[in-house]
Amino acid sequence: MIETKKAIGNYRWTICGLLFFATTVNYLDRQVLSLLAPSLSEEFGWTNSDYANITAVFQFIYAISMLFAGRIIDKLGTKWGYILAITIWSLGAIMHAYSLQVGTVFSNVLAWVGIGAVPVSIAGFMLSRAVLGFGESGNFPAAIKATAEYFPKKQRSLATGIFNSGSNVGAILAPLTVPWIAVNWGWETAFILVGAIGFIWIFFWFIFYETPEKQKRLSQAEFDYIHHDSEIVVESPKEKEEKIAWTKLLSYKQTWAFVFGKFMTDGIWWFFLFWLPKYLEAQFNMKGTDIVFPLAVLYSMTMVGSIGGGWFPMYFINKGYNPYDGRMKAMLVIALFPLVVLLAQPLGYISFWIPVLLIGVGASAHQAWSANIFTTVSDMFPKKAIGSIIGIGGMAGGIGGVLVSKMGGYLFDYYDGLGHIQTGYTIMFVLCAVSYLIAWAVMKILVPKYSPITDL
């Protein structure tokens, strides 16, 4: 086994490492606000609905941009498309530090066009989140496309699980660093320092990434291994310019299976990401650095789900199942784990660690799910369509995220007014628990067995 790997070469894992780094930065940047939300809400007088509106702007712009991000990645190619994306989202992350200045201008513009007065702090953070969401929409279309370029089908879910675990590392590093930076150097510095990390990644990506056909560091043996279970596609200039109509892509049930799966489940992960600091404050009166260790433990658990979930389908594939059918069997098992989140509120009176650990299981299951649902696209569609399909599904996931965030903000304010905010969280945790089984059932109905697209 070791001799075979040495003979083949391992440069594809260098690319996977770069994707991991980018995804880590992606989640570091998007999580800074959620960690500072309790203190910023107190400083600026935000309600839960105000905070929901700010997070919903990110999710809405992310959703719409995902539709076009896949197109842009397909058009520019993975290398330059990724560089453009991370440049924009890093600038957007840094913009948060200047939200009051940006908000003054933005709220005046909104008032001038007749939208009405928007508090300066809310307007500034909304615009900053919009720029961040626009840039971050490029991460997964580019990463999934790079994975399809550099890995054979049987290894794609593992590679996706590994680079997607960067989201967990970002989620772990953020609570370990952001509250401390904010306490010692101010919340503005936290946004600036974290946002600047993306520019370091660009340097390494520019040096080490090239398509496999042009990659001088890739051996012929590894190139052949990458393509041994899939087609070798070298696009002509004419094919590169050819666009596949969205109406064409939306005519396939395979597209709708991915779209529905993302719509039902992306918002759950974002709820865990954006609202857990607020939950710990509301339920257990934990603020600032108090949340560092619990959140670090919770997101550390998700590493297991991300990498383990990427490996899990190989168990079935090695037993003779084709990649898609093996993946769907794995996803059914994964969809059962979030059900433990139903116990988070009933057992929360014992200790805050009970909901933290149970939610950690649910979040870990999401990452396992995510590693596989992304890979169903490269199972079914040719490489030239992957970016566009990921974009369409990402838009659906973003819209689902907007609805989940708005629903949460409304429920928390409503039940907080009644003195029973825990009821709002109970309702949201029920949604978190059952969404994956609903998503899997609909996906299975739409695409009951392996049906690759061959007419694009």
Side-chain angles (χ1 to χ4, degrees):
M1 187 79 167
I2 295 175
E3 291 180 1
T4 302
K5 287 184 177 179
K6 285 183 178 179
I8 292 173
N10 292 295
Y11 191 76
R12 63 193 182 281
W13 296 107
T14 300
I15 300 301
C16 187
L18 289 169
L19 303 179
F20 169 85
F21 186 8
T23 305
T24 299
V25 174
N26 186 278
Y27 272 79
L28 267 172
D29 287 339
R30 75 173 65 180
Q31 203 188 356
V32 175
L33 178 62
S34 66
L35 292 165
L36 300 179
S39 59
L40 291 175
S41 295
E42 186 175 342
E43 180 176 343
F44 297 120
W46 296 343
T47 65
N48 285 309
S49 293
D50 290 334
Y51 176 64
N53 289 335
I54 293 171
T55 60
V57 167
F58 170 86
Q59 292 163 314
F60 179 74
I61 297 299
Y62 184 92
I64 299 302
S65 300
M66 279 290 281
L67 188 62
F68 301 97
R71 290 284 195 183
I72 294 171
I73 298 300
D74 285 340
K75 181 70 175 178
L76 296 181
T78 313
K79 182 171 188 172
W80 290 106
Y82 223 152
I83 289 174
L84 177 64
I86 203 165
T87 298
I88 293 172
W89 94 54
S90 296
L91 292 174
I94 293 171
M95 272 181 63
H96 287 69
Y98 305 96
S99 287
L100 296 182
Q101 297 90 326
V102 171
T104 300
V105 176
F106 188 42
S107 60
N108 289 336
V109 171
L110 292 177
W112 181 71
V113 298
I115 294 180
V118 177
V120 168
S121 65
I122 295 175
F125 276 95
M126 279 183 169
L127 186 58
S128 300
R129 297 307 280 179
V131 175
L132 181 69
F134 176 63
E136 289 206 345
S137 67
N139 184 73
F140 282 99
I144 297 299
K145 191 176 181 70
T147 302
E149 291 171 342
Y150 268 90
F151 287 87
K153 285 186 177 182
K154 69 177 184 179
Q155 285 189 336
R156 286 176 191 171
S157 64
L158 177 59
T160 301
I162 291 173
F163 87 68
N164 191 48
S165 69
S167 62
N168 312 317
V169 174
I172 294 165
L173 291 177
L176 291 175
T177 56
V178 171
W180 186 89
I181 294 172
V183 167
N184 290 277
W185 297 335
W187 62 265
E188 296 93 340
T189 304
F191 283 110
I192 292 170
L193 290 180
V194 175
I197 297 173
F199 295 105
I200 298 173
W201 177 88
I202 290 175
F203 173 77
F204 290 98
W205 181 253
F206 183 81
I207 291 175
F208 290 105
Y209 175 84
E210 195 52 83
T211 59
E213 292 77 18
K214 299 178 182 178
Q215 181 58 261
K216 295 179 180 178
R217 298 178 179 89
L218 190 69
S219 69
Q220 184 62 46
E222 188 170 6
F223 181 88
D224 293 340
Y225 176 73
I226 289 168
H227 296 94
H228 81 274
D229 60 355
S230 62
E231 79 286 1
I232 299 177
V233 178
V234 180
E235 295 173 323
S236 68
K238 182 178 179 181
E239 288 173 322
K240 269 193 170 180
E241 293 174 4
E242 180 186 353
K243 291 183 178 180
I244 304 172
W246 282 321
T247 52
K248 176 71 171 175
L249 296 175
L250 291 173
S251 67
Y252 297 108
K253 290 182 179 180
Q254 290 87 337
T255 301
W256 286 104
F258 179 68
V259 165
F260 187 81
K262 293 288 284 180
F263 174 79
M264 285 298 299
T265 60
D266 271 17
I268 306 305
W269 172 249
W270 280 352
F271 176 75
F272 290 148
L273 200 68
F274 293 157
W275 285 95
L276 284 183
K278 298 277 282 185
Y279 167 70
L280 292 175
E281 179 195 27
Q283 292 288 91
F284 305 104
N285 198 32
M286 300 172 68
K287 297 181 181 180
T289 54
D290 293 340
I291 65 175
V292 169
F293 187 54
L295 289 182
V297 170
L298 188 154
Y299 291 121
S300 295
M301 293 172 65
T302 63
M303 288 284 291
V304 177
S306 188
I307 298 176
W311 166 85
F312 193 24
M314 294 178 66
Y315 169 79
F316 296 104
I317 293 170
N318 290 337
K319 285 183 172 292
Y321 290 92
N322 65 60
Y324 176 79
D325 292 335
R327 222 173 303 287
M328 287 299 289
K329 284 187 177 294
M331 289 171 71
L332 174 59
V333 176
I334 291 165
L336 297 173
F337 281 90
L339 295 176
V340 302
V341 178
L342 293 170
L343 299 174
Q345 285 294 80
L347 299 181
Y349 73 92
I350 300 174
S351 167
F352 70 85
W353 280 111
I354 302 298
V356 165
L357 294 176
L358 293 175
I359 293 168
V361 173
S364 184
H366 173 85
Q367 293 300 79
W369 172 275
S370 184
N372 284 283
I373 193 171
F374 274 127
T375 316
T376 61
V377 178
S378 58
D379 287 339
M380 293 292 187
F381 289 89
K383 292 177 184 177
K384 63 181 179 179
I386 288 174
S388 296
I389 297 294
I390 294 292
I392 294 171
M395 183 190 71
I399 292 173
V402 171
L403 295 177
V404 169
S405 192
K406 293 288 287 181
M407 179 181 175
Y410 169 78
L411 288 173
F412 303 147
D413 277 341
Y414 176 76
Y415 283 105
D416 193 27
L418 299 177
H420 299 289
I421 193 171
Q422 64 270 19
T423 303
Y425 281 101
T426 297
I427 294 171
M428 293 303 297
F429 288 155
V430 170
L431 176 65
C432 294
V434 303
S435 291
Y436 297 88
L437 281 175
I438 295 172
W440 185 90
V442 174
M443 291 176 69
K444 187 66 173 176
I445 291 170
L446 288 172
V447 187
K449 60 182 181 178
Y450 181 51
S451 306
I453 303 300
T454 58
D455 59 344
L456 284 178

